[in-house]
Amino acid sequence: QRWGRRDLKAVVLGELGNRCKTCGSHKHEEEFVEALMELGGPKQGSLLVPAHDASLLAIARHATTLSESFVVATPPWPAVARSIDKRETYEHAHGIGIPAPIVRIPSSPSDVTGIVDELGLPVLVKPAISHVFVSRFGKKMVAAATVTEARSLVDIALTDGIEVMLTEIIPGPPSHGANYNAYLVDRSPVAEFTAHKLRNSPSRWGSPRVVVSEVIPEIIEPGRRLLGSLGIEGFANTEWKLDARDGIFKLMEINARHNLSSMLAVRCGVDFPWIEYEHRIHGTLPERPPTLEIGRYWVDGVRDLSTSLQSWRSEGLGLRDIVRPYVRRHTGAHWAWGDPMPGLARGWDTIRRGRRSH
């Protein structure tokens, strides 16, 4: 409705793929692709947009087949493979001189002691591929405080066939996080956006719950160089953290898909989904770089309020800090008066989860 286009055709695959336990794309990839091809009949020629890692992997890997029915909105498979596997991501970053955490890969639990001696404690146990780890542990990563804990986590993961890494912890609060988003054509950005993370859920190692748009020059050049050197074509999001030890932003991860807080960029004037649609469907690009609105917040209200109530002391948040994003210009993660269904669905989902927990 906002775009006012009657010929708009797009299929967006987001969180639904993670919730479908019998047809989830990370567990039954071939069946997932077959189901998409069946959908391709009535949706012929639509833009196919993956919005989480499992569907990204499946769609990028089978892009040639899916392109028979859809216009596939993913970067090339080699670029996706290197961005989604954090071992390859960090190896590539180090190779081109982009700061990133020190990473060691245990081949067995017996390797853990030597690695911890090198990296120190606590140490992060992180997956090579995030969504597989989350399906097993319910978290994106786990901070191990002891050698025994790290060894146990590695043992469980390797036994289940999940490849993991041990990485140093980049010190600093959640507010040291930042995003560089870009849409690239011929490995050069035609639109860019940067934002500063303020609060996560869970507090220390979780996904963002409050973000604000800012110009962050320190991550723009390395972000351009990283995505261009990987061969990214289309949209990608890179996540960074300012290291409290040396004041340098370190690469955390690359998402070769639209990210959780994408609507912030849209509301700030950098409409990446529309740019991708116009480019891939009609072959047109913006005549000039979009103008960025500075100082607009993105708020996941449900998670922010619940996490703030639980963690405000440990996060050092005062009432003014908690309230500020809500009284300033902001964009809701799920709620909009002109499109209330996502917000209503999220609220109902929260109520159901609360009932199950009791």
Side-chain angles (χ1 to χ4, degrees), residues 10 48 155 169 177 188 273 291 337 344:
L48 183 61
D155 187 23
I169 292 178
S188 296
T291 301
W337 288 108
L344 294 174

Side-chain angles (χ1 to χ4, degrees), residues 17-183:
N18 279 336
R19 296 188 180 184
C20 180
K21 301 304 181 185
T22 59
C23 62
S25 49
H26 69 290
K27 293 184 178 179
H28 304 280
E29 186 169 293
E30 297 296 333
E31 294 93 327
F32 177 74
V33 172
E34 289 176 8
L36 284 178
M37 291 300 292
E38 292 177 8
L39 181 66
K43 300 292 185 180
Q44 186 74 30
S46 295
L47 187 69
L48 183 61
V49 184
H52 74 300
D53 286 344
S55 59
L56 170 66
L57 270 176
I59 291 170
R61 197 183 341 250
H62 297 274
T64 300
T65 299
L66 291 167
S67 294
E68 297 172 10
S69 298
F70 300 97
V71 177
V72 177
T74 70
W77 167 246
V80 170
R82 297 183 77 179
S83 64
I84 210 162
D85 188 327
K86 292 182 178 61
R87 296 166 302 180
E88 295 195 30
T89 300
Y90 289 149
E91 180 180 358
H92 181 80
H94 287 301
I96 61 173
I98 289 178
I102 299 172
V103 174
R104 297 292 180 262
I105 302 170
S107 58
S108 72
S110 61
D111 295 338
V112 170
T113 300
I115 294 174
V116 169
D117 287 343
E118 177 187 2
L119 299 182
L121 287 171
V123 66
L124 277 183
V125 181
K126 296 181 67 172
I129 300 177
S130 293
H131 65 277
V132 179
F133 187 87
V134 171
S135 69
R136 174 62 177 84
F137 293 95
K139 299 178 180 179
K140 295 175 64 175
M141 64 195 81
V142 180
T146 66
V147 173
T148 301
E149 185 181 2
R151 189 183 297 118
S152 175
L153 289 165
V154 170
D155 187 23
I156 294 171
L158 294 181
T159 299
D160 287 359
I162 302 172
E163 297 175 308
V164 293
M165 313 173 294
L166 299 182
T167 78
E168 65 171 330
I169 292 178
I170 302 300
S175 59
H176 279 199
N179 282 357
Y180 167 78
N181 296 358
Y183 191 84

